């Protein structure tokens, strides 16, 4: 039997889209962000390119003409757009006269969504892919390899090869909730599951938006018009610039999403006096079946041209949650960080990344740091569990 061969690709477009997506469909935790269309759009739109510090070296593992495994791999000369923060590690390297960059990264740029990162036909293929990635990093004399927001299978394969594990906390909503009860019949049933204080707060926040004369409409997929996309991008770009940053994603990226992956997007537009004033863009899991309800929704991008008290909460949480309940979506992921999401019934979930550092002394130091940090994460999770927004079951 032929030995597996690892190949590196300077752009996702060098890899057959159908073969990539077929491999993704075999995984336990696929997401729309790992589809070939999404990754290719990031590159072709100029959003994640060498000019911006994201040099693609996508990895594929072959046995003859059979694609065994694949993953998005970037060579990075900074740590922006990752959401698992290693700036302190880079600073420590610099203080000791060592170069932390370039480093290798297995991740989806600008997208802190947990899911499969190592596409593989089986566990053996996944292990061979990790082995190949480590060999590449050593031969290229890179400082480190990082796999972010991986699925359980990815993390297990990395741990088997000696990578260090690091946990962070996100906040996800589920329907039915993880308490053995049935799913919510409607948004009012969801509110009824919450404690009195949380229920009252949400109703007050939604009332403020309604009293300000704001209404919402939504559109999905091909029903999102070009004008809607243009308006959304104005809002999205303005939010970044208000914080002194250029937007990560270009308008061309979203045009490519509209053209190549339309079913994966749900847009909420807030209007007042017949004029759009804000927009919230949600991603949806897609499996190609028109009749199938998405399994998951992902809160991604938001922006507003006018300030209305509590509009962000309504556009980014309450409207999407009501839509998810109505359309049978079982999970809504709220993105990175944000304890305030618990008040909206998004509960804490641990996410995991895996890390390999070439320098033995720094690897030992980081391992000790991660042990301490891990204890802190466990304590933090226990603290959050004591603050459940749901009614007590006693």
């Amino acid at each position: 039997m032929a030995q597996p061969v690892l190949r590196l690709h300077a752009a996702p477009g060098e890899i057959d889209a159908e073969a990539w997506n077929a491999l993704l469909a075999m995984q336990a935790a696929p997401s729309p962000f790992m589809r070939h269309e999404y990754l290719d759009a990031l590159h072709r739109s100029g959003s994640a390119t060498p000019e911006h510090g994201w040099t693609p070296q996508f990895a594929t593992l072959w046995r003859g003409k059979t694609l065994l495994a694949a993953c998005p791999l970037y060579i990075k000369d900074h740590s922006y757009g990752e959401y698992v923060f290693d700036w302190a590690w880079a600073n420590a390297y610099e203080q000791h006269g060592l170069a932390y960059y370039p480093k290798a990264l297995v991740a989806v740029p600008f997208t802190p969504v947990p899911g499969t990162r190592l596409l593989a036909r089986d566990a053996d293929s996944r292990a061979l892919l990790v082995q190949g990635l480590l060999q590449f990093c050593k031969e290229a004399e890179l400082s480190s390899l990082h796999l972010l927001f991986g699925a359980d299978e990815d993390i297990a394969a990395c741990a088997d090869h000696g990578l260090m594990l690091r946990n962070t906390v996100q906040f996800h909503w589920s329907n039915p909730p993880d308490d053995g009860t049935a799913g919510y019949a409607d948004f009012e049933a969801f509110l009824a599951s919450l404690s009195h204080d949380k229920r009252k707060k949400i109703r007050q926040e939604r009332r403020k938006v309604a009293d300000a004369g704001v209404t919402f409409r939504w559109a999905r997929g091909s029903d999102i018009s070009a004008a809607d996309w243009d308006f959304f991008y104005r809002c999205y770009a303005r939010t970044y610039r208000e914080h002194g940053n250029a937007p990560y994603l270009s308008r061309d990226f979203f045009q490519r999403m509209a053209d190549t992956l339309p079913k994966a997007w749900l847009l909420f537009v807030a209007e007042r006096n017949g004029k759009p004033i804000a927009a919230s863009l949600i991603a949806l899991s897609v499996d190609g079946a028109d009749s199938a309800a998405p399994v998951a929704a992902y809160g991604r991008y938001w922006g507003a041209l006018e300030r209305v008290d509590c509009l962000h909460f309504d556009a980014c949480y309450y409207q999407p949650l009501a839509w998810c309940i109505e359309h049978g979506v079982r999970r809504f992921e709220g993105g990175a960080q944000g304890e305030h999401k618990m008040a909206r019934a998004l509960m804490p979930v641990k996410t995991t990344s895996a890390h390999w550092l070439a320098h033995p002394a720094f690897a030992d130091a980081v391992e000790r740091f991660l042990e301490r940090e891990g204890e802190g994460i466990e304590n933090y999770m226990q603290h959050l569990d004591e603050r459940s927004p749901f009614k007590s079951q006693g």
Side-chain angles (χ1 to χ4, degrees):
M1 184 178 294
Q3 289 297 309
V5 175
L6 184 75
R7 300 174 186 166
L8 300 176
H9 307 266
E14 295 182 2
I15 305 169
D16 180 74
E18 186 175 346
W20 178 283
N21 286 338
L23 203 56
L24 175 63
M26 297 170 59
Q27 309 309 308
S31 81
F33 311 105
M34 279 290 291
R35 287 185 65 90
H36 190 277
E37 297 92 333
Y38 188 89
L39 296 164
D40 193 45
L42 287 172
H43 185 78
R44 292 184 186 273
S45 68
S47 300
T49 61
E51 292 76 17
H52 291 105
W54 297 81
T55 300
Q57 287 282 270
F58 279 37
T60 56
L61 185 70
W62 299 82
R63 177 174 283 124
K65 295 183 178 180
T66 301
L67 179 61
L68 298 178
C71 70
L73 176 65
Y74 294 91
I75 308 304
K76 294 289 303 296
D77 57 17
H78 58 66
S79 294
Y80 293 106
E82 299 178 14
Y83 300 94
V84 175
F85 304 110
D86 61 352
W87 295 106
W89 304 357
N91 290 338
Y93 267 64
E94 184 178 6
Q95 290 167 7
H96 287 79
L98 300 172
Y100 188 68
Y101 305 108
K103 65 177 185 177
L105 183 75
V106 178
V108 181
F110 324 122
T111 309
V113 175
T116 299
R117 296 291 176 265
L118 304 174
L119 311 183
R121 290 183 175 270
D122 50 40
D124 289 342
S125 299
R126 188 173 291 107
L128 287 170
L129 180 59
V130 175
Q131 183 178 323
L133 293 173
L134 288 171
Q135 187 63 31
F136 161 73
C137 290
K138 293 172 184 176
E139 292 176 356
E141 298 183 344
L142 300 175
S143 74
S144 51
L145 171 67
H146 311 264
L147 183 145
L148 308 185
F149 301 106
D152 291 345
E153 302 82 24
D154 304 332
I155 299 305
C158 289
D160 286 345
H161 283 81
L163 275 73
M164 298 174 286
L165 305 185
R166 186 181 193 185
N167 290 320
T168 55
V169 178
Q170 291 190 354
F171 296 86
H172 299 174
W173 174 89
S174 60
N175 183 26
D178 189 21
D179 61 4
T181 60
Y184 306 118
D186 53 30
F187 194 79
E188 279 301 312
F190 160 61
L191 289 181
S193 72
L194 302 178
S195 67
H196 172 76
D197 288 347
K198 296 298 187 290
R199 184 167 63 249
K200 180 180 178 181
K201 182 178 178 64
I202 290 174
R203 285 184 170 142
Q204 287 175 338
E205 290 175 343
R206 300 194 82 191
R207 191 176 304 117
K208 286 181 181 179
V209 175
D211 289 348
V214 176
T215 59
F216 287 88
R217 61 178 175 87
W218 63 266
R220 182 184 177 189
S222 58
D223 291 333
I224 304 175
S225 68
D228 286 338
W229 281 111
D230 286 340
F231 174 73
F232 156 74
Y233 195 76
R234 282 179 61 202
C235 296
Y236 164 77
R238 176 167 175 165
T239 296
Y240 271 85
R241 292 186 178 116
E242 284 178 347
H243 290 86
N245 301 311
Y248 279 137
L249 302 174
S250 68
R251 175 65 180 90
D252 183 55
F253 167 79
F254 291 105
Q255 186 58 54
R256 291 177 183 276
M257 289 295 91
D259 294 340
T260 66
L261 203 59
K263 289 197 310 181
W265 299 103
L266 171 67
L267 180 67
F268 292 90
V269 178
E271 297 178 331
R272 181 158 62 178
N273 299 324
K275 171 186 164 186
I277 63 169
S280 172
L281 186 65
I282 307 299
L284 302 171
S285 62
V286 290
D287 63 3
D290 290 331
S291 60
V295 173
Y298 311 88
R300 298 305 306 128
Y301 315 108
W302 134 272
L305 304 185
E306 296 183 14
R307 296 192 181 279
V308 175
D309 194 17
C310 298
L311 179 58
H312 172 264
F313 297 137
D314 208 352
C316 295
Y317 300 110
Y318 307 143
Q319 296 294 328
L321 291 182
W323 192 95
C324 287
I325 293 169
E326 182 179 353
H327 292 84
V329 179
R330 297 303 184 94
R331 188 172 77 254
F332 177 78
E333 299 189 10
Q337 290 116 17
E339 282 185 32
H340 67 277
K341 296 169 185 172
M342 277 192 70
R344 283 91 199 168
L346 279 72
M347 300 303 291
V349 174
K350 276 198 295 190
T351 60
T352 308
S353 58
H355 308 268
W356 171 85
L357 277 68
H359 194 290
F362 270 99
D364 289 343
V366 167
E367 186 170 28
R368 292 193 298 272
F369 163 78
L370 291 178
E371 288 177 1
R372 296 191 301 272
E373 185 185 59
E375 293 174 358
I377 291 290
E378 291 297 329
N379 293 334
Y380 178 55
M381 289 287 290
Q382 291 178 14
H383 171 68
L384 292 175
D385 286 342
E386 296 170 357
R387 297 164 49 195
S388 171
F390 294 99
K391 292 178 180 176
S392 63
Q393 300 298 310

